[in-house]
Amino acid sequence: MIDDGTGLFTIGELARSTGLTVRTIRYWSDEGVLTPVGRSTGGYRLYDAESAARLELIRTLRELGLGLADVRKVLDGERTVAEVAAAHVVALDARIRSLKVTRAVLSTVARRGSSAEEMTLMNKLARLSAAERRRIMEEFVEEMFHGLDLADPDIRERMRDTAVNLPDDPTPEQVDAWVELAELVQDPEFRAQMRRAAELNHADRGPDTPAGASRWFARRLVEQVGKAREQGIEPAAPEAEQVLRELFGDTDRAAILERINATHNPRLARYRELLGTLKGTPVKTFAEEFAWVGAALEARLAS
């Protein structure tokens, strides 16, 4: 406080009492959020006790991340502290989500040893909006089932539900899963594989075939093959023939093998695993059971 009986402070004295720098206080004064109450005979800015209290409020708001425009509105009474805080929470939440995606992308890049080009693509895919992610998945499903009216509606509906979004708080594994999934469903070769699987499902069904029949048969296959594997029956063993007959009867073995390869292959299994990771619900692909059937069929077709 200057020793003239006015109870006013110079900017230097205000800085010493608050722990702020003269430069910071001068900047806030220049920006109009801390107006001096007057000037000394030498032209120096002077502040009073109310200025010191105002300065503490400014510092608190700035430490919480508010911009000077919002600080000014609070100090001028245009907005309450609560209103500005609520708006700032929303902005902070968005920033936190963005930072977490950035961290997840960098973790994936480090784990994969990605090139600069791959990192750019991963970052672009990870930051797609919810609408853009839905569009990618919906276009994929539409291409898969277009014109195939007899395809199992249960499968069609479950596929349409795959328009998933990244969680608000994604783990590096979930970001990695989305990036890989987006790359997969935009791969022409994989799209062709999935289309072929849908075509085979469509060809196998009649107008009266109940929805969910495909899943029911898959469960039966897994159960039957699981028992055979528990008994140690190898795909090429004579005992495997009985398992095939119980599952397929006298149906053409080459046609069955084509369907197995189209609907249960490593890339399709990976697709299901990625969806499970994104949804937080691990998926069983039963790859070993279907591989056993494929090997059993191949053994008999080769003999």
Side-chain angles (χ1 to χ4, degrees):
M1 183 181 297
I2 59 176
D3 189 20
D4 62 358
T6 61
L8 298 179
F9 302 87
T10 64
I11 196 169
E13 291 168 333
L14 195 60
R16 284 191 293 274
S17 67
T18 60
L20 292 165
T21 65
V22 169
R23 182 177 179 180
T24 296
I25 298 174
R26 183 179 293 116
Y27 171 68
W28 288 347
S29 293
D30 291 342
E31 290 297 313
V33 294
L34 183 69
T35 306
V37 297
R39 289 187 178 266
S40 68
T41 54
Y44 295 105
R45 307 179 211 209
L46 297 175
Y47 302 88
D48 59 10
E50 185 178 339
S51 300
R54 186 182 179 96
L55 184 60
E56 288 295 339
L57 176 58
I58 295 169
R59 174 162 65 179
T60 299
L61 294 173
R62 291 292 288 153
E63 286 176 348
L64 289 173
L66 273 68
L68 284 179
D70 282 328
V71 171
R72 189 180 295 108
K73 289 177 182 177
V74 170
L75 295 172
D76 294 344
E78 295 178 22
R79 299 185 72 183
T80 67
V81 173
E83 289 172 339
V84 173
H88 202 59
V89 165
V90 174
L92 278 174
D93 285 343
R95 178 59 177 160
I96 288 169
R97 286 194 295 271
S98 177
L99 286 171
K100 287 180 177 178
V101 170
T102 298
R103 181 184 181 280
V105 169
L106 290 174
S107 297
T108 299
V109 169
R111 186 167 58 254
R112 285 189 181 185
S114 303
S115 65
E117 292 78 10
E118 290 171 327
M119 179 180 67
T120 299
L121 176 61
M122 276 189 272
N123 190 50
K124 179 180 178 181
L125 291 173
R127 294 183 185 282
L128 289 176
S129 69
E132 289 168 327
R133 288 195 286 264
R134 281 196 299 271
R135 177 186 57 78
I136 288 174
M137 297 304 296
E138 286 169 357
E139 287 180 354
F140 166 66
V141 175
E142 176 60 27
E143 180 179 319
M144 182 177 171
F145 288 107
H146 181 70
L148 304 179
D149 297 335
L150 293 180
D152 193 328
D154 179 66
I155 294 178
R156 189 194 303 264
E157 203 55 42
R158 285 189 293 115
M159 290 290 292
R160 283 182 176 144
D161 287 341
T162 60
V164 294
N165 297 313
L166 279 175
D168 288 341
D169 187 13
T171 64
E173 290 74 20
Q174 286 172 320
V175 173
D176 197 10
W178 163 251
V179 170
E180 187 177 343
L181 180 66
E183 292 170 334
L184 188 61
V185 300
Q186 294 178 92
D187 177 17
E189 183 179 339
F190 179 71
R191 292 171 84 104
Q193 287 178 347
M194 294 294 282
R195 172 67 181 185
R196 182 56 180 156
E199 289 171 344
L200 290 169
N201 182 270
H202 169 85
D204 285 342
R205 293 173 54 82
D208 299 325
T209 306
S214 302
R215 294 184 72 186
W216 175 84
F217 179 77
R219 285 196 296 268
R220 180 166 172 262
L221 182 149
V222 168
E223 181 181 342
Q224 295 285 87
V225 173
K227 291 178 181 178
R229 296 179 69 226
E230 286 176 2
Q231 295 169 15
I233 299 174
E234 294 295 329
E239 295 85 352
E241 177 62 27
Q242 182 60 32
V243 179
L244 295 178
R245 286 197 169 275
E246 289 177 0
L247 288 171
F248 308 114
D250 295 326
T251 306
D252 179 59
R253 298 290 174 84
I256 296 170
L257 181 60
E258 180 187 4
R259 282 159 172 74
I260 292 292
N261 289 337
T263 58
H264 293 84
N265 54 69
R267 297 192 84 192
L268 182 52
R270 183 57 180 159
Y271 168 82
R272 292 168 177 152
E273 289 173 351
L274 293 170
L275 289 178
T277 299
L278 282 169
K279 294 178 179 180
T281 53
V283 173
K284 290 184 178 181
T285 62
F286 301 107
E288 293 180 349
E289 286 80 0
F290 281 94
W292 187 97
V293 172
L297 290 168
E298 288 175 348
R300 279 142 188 83
L301 289 170
S303 60

